[in-house]
Amino acid sequence: MTMEDEGASLATARTPSGRSALVVPAILAAASTLVVIGILTMDVQAKDKPGPTFFPWLLALAGYALAAALAVSFIRHPDELARAEKKFRTYTDWAAAGWLIGGLLAFAVLLEILGWILAAALLFWCVTRAFDSKRPLVDVSAALLLSSLVFLIFGVLLDVPLPSGILGGL
């Protein structure tokens, strides 16, 4: 081994390869902290259970758990991340980005017209297309099920009205 090879291998060993990925769990933990601050500063009058702070607490706890799991994974396996970064350093899937952005725009425009159930199902389907799903019937079925479940949770448990759109009279 020459001096140059040895120096290059030492320089590679000293670099924190894959550690830049820790920014993601840090942002997630910061967002969860903002949710907790928002919960603690809420003026809650009703003492009904589960109450308006129940789901924000679930989201904050899930955010902290996911941030911790991601951080542990990134710390335990930094080399896998470094190899992935080198392999896809400049790759952008513009078709996937188009499906995501188009889905969000369609959701925003069509929410009042179609209502929550159909607009959220459309958004979910666009996300599955962005991730290159090959099962449109399963995707649409799951989208309708999930958006209906969210509609029921917010409408029944939390008493938060979501737009019903064209399905409102049914």
Side-chain angles (χ1 to χ4, degrees), residues 65-146:
L66 185 58
L70 284 172
V72 167
S73 174
F74 293 158
I75 290 170
R76 291 184 73 195
H77 308 289
D79 295 334
E80 293 173 14
L81 289 170
R83 281 194 299 271
E85 286 174 3
K86 290 176 187 171
K87 184 177 178 184
F88 298 114
R89 191 152 196 99
T90 60
Y91 177 73
T92 301
D93 188 354
W94 291 108
W99 276 105
L100 290 173
I101 294 167
L104 285 170
L105 289 174
F107 176 77
V109 170
L110 298 173
L111 180 60
E112 290 296 324
I113 299 164
L114 296 179
W116 172 266
I117 293 174
L118 296 177
L122 176 65
L123 174 62
F124 181 83
W125 180 77
C126 288
V127 170
T128 62
R129 290 285 302 157
F131 284 108
D132 204 25
S133 176
K134 302 292 186 207
R135 306 179 315 175
L137 187 60
V138 172
D139 298 339
V140 169
S141 301
L144 287 169
L145 179 70
L146 287 174

